[in-house]
Amino acid sequence: MTDRAETPAPEALAPGDEEAFHIPDDLALALTEFAAVEQVSRGEAICLILREYLRAKGYLKGAPQD
């Protein structure tokens, strides 16, 4: 994947927003397995899953990216 979502600079975040959200253990395990099978990083796996979900729900338009 070559495209990256823009994220706000740390100083632009409200206090407390800089902490990552908690991923429940069952989802973390499934994500790790997905990333291994697809041979991508966990971050790339998250992007792939979110992109497909948002496209399926109609929030993301356009052709799938490889």
Side-chain angles (χ1 to χ4, degrees):
M1 299 179 101
T2 56
D3 65 319
R4 293 181 181 244
E6 291 186 14
T7 56
E11 60 273 7
L13 298 172
D17 283 350
E18 68 278 353
E19 187 174 329
F21 64 92
H22 172 74
I23 298 175
D25 291 343
D26 60 335
L27 291 179
L29 183 60
L31 177 62
T32 299
E33 185 176 348
F34 176 85
V37 169
E38 297 296 320
Q39 297 182 342
V40 297
S41 70
R42 281 175 50 117
E44 289 172 320
I46 290 168
C47 288
L48 286 169
I49 293 164
L50 282 173
R51 182 175 286 119
E52 181 58 31
Y53 178 84
L54 293 172
R55 184 173 289 109
K57 292 291 187 173
Y59 295 106
L60 184 62
K61 308 295 183 213
Q65 296 177 347
D66 293 325

